[in-house]
Amino acid sequence: MNSPTIQTVAIYARVSKDDQDALNQMAELRGYCEKQGWPIFAEYIDEQSGGTEKRSRFQQMFEDANKRKFDLVLFWALDRFRREGTLPTFRHLERLNNAGVKFKSYTEQYIDSAGVFGDVVIAILATSAKLERARISERTKAGLARARAQGKVIGRPALSTATKEKIRALRYQGLSIRQVATKAGVSIGAVNKVLSANSHEPKVNLK
């Protein structure tokens, strides 16, 4: 019998040309849906790398998910769904969850938001993603600290004296802050910073 919450299913697969294993996997996924009594709304199959979001069928799947055209996305394994690590993978699974669509890995039984432990699965993935964000942040901070210790300049380079003088001259000619920024080739924030450094020039004037 159909699950009370799963009426239609979408199958997602990432394959390469002449991939016999992928063909066998698709057959098993179809068979599993049939056994569960789940009608298949569509099969979203991409013949591209799993390390990029630029997969037409992958994107189409999310568009249809947002329209609630199916209740669950079934895939063979996470490495056939996404290859960029815990954080990017969770973000996509979270997108499905936010759209009200469940997800299930056929070969990884613990990755199943449609099961009785669905909330636990979401919580575990969220925690894993949070830990990965923390690791990325720590690696970034360590890298910046190492670069500073080696004498490298972090952030945007300081404006030259000539550029600062040009900014003041252009503003003196009556140009707007935006026009000054365009002609000097700098940001509006940089113009405001230069003008406010030694004057009472208002910080925002985009006219």
Side-chain angles (χ1 to χ4, degrees):
M1 294 180 60
N2 286 358
S3 164
T5 57
I6 307 300
Q7 301 299 323
T8 56
V9 175
I11 293 177
Y12 179 77
R14 180 183 51 77
V15 303
S16 58
K17 293 182 179 180
D18 303 320
D19 188 342
Q20 189 60 44
D21 284 341
L23 295 177
N24 293 336
Q25 291 169 11
M26 288 299 299
E28 289 200 44
L29 293 176
R30 295 180 189 122
Y32 180 77
C33 289
E34 183 177 357
K35 183 178 179 181
Q36 298 296 318
W38 293 341
I40 299 174
F41 169 77
E43 295 178 358
Y44 301 87
I45 303 174
D46 281 309
E47 293 185 353
Q48 299 179 30
S49 168
T52 175
E53 293 182 14
K54 296 179 181 179
R55 290 175 280 166
S56 60
R57 296 298 288 164
F58 188 76
Q59 296 299 341
Q60 184 62 52
M61 178 183 69
F62 280 100
E63 290 182 20
D64 291 342
N66 289 330
K67 297 175 183 177
R68 286 304 306 275
K69 292 186 176 182
F70 45 81
D71 303 301
L72 178 140
V73 173
L74 177 68
F75 47 89
W76 183 259
L78 276 181
D79 65 356
R80 288 280 176 169
F81 182 77
R82 192 73 181 174
R83 278 187 171 179
E84 289 186 335
T86 303
L87 184 55
T89 299
F90 171 73
R91 284 174 177 164
H92 287 292
L93 295 179
E94 188 176 40
R95 286 173 64 190
L96 291 175
N97 185 63
N98 291 340
V101 175
K102 306 294 184 181
F103 54 84
K104 179 178 177 62
S105 169
Y106 180 73
T107 58
E108 300 151 325
Q109 296 301 308
Y110 55 93
I111 301 177
D112 181 3
S113 69
V116 293
F117 298 110
D119 291 342
V120 176
V121 171
I122 295 294
I124 291 174
L125 289 173
T127 300
S128 298
K130 184 177 180 180
L131 291 173
E132 181 161 318
R133 280 194 294 268
R135 286 195 296 269
I136 292 173
S137 177
E138 289 302 318
R139 287 197 296 268
T140 300
K141 291 178 181 177
L144 291 174
R146 184 169 59 253
R148 291 191 183 98
Q150 294 172 351
K152 296 181 179 178
V153 178
I154 305 300
R156 294 180 179 179
L159 297 180
S160 66
T161 300
T163 299
K164 291 179 181 179
E165 290 300 325
K166 182 177 182 179
I167 288 172
R168 296 188 185 98
L170 289 170
R171 183 57 171 166
Y172 183 76
Q173 293 171 21
L175 275 67
S176 70
I177 298 294
R178 188 184 297 278
Q179 290 172 329
V180 171
T182 300
K183 287 185 174 295
V186 298
S187 68
I188 290 174
V191 171
N192 278 320
K193 186 175 181 180
V194 170
L195 295 177
S196 63
N198 57 0
S199 73
H200 298 290
E201 185 75 40
K203 289 187 177 181
V204 178
N205 180 1
L206 303 182
K207 294 182 180 180

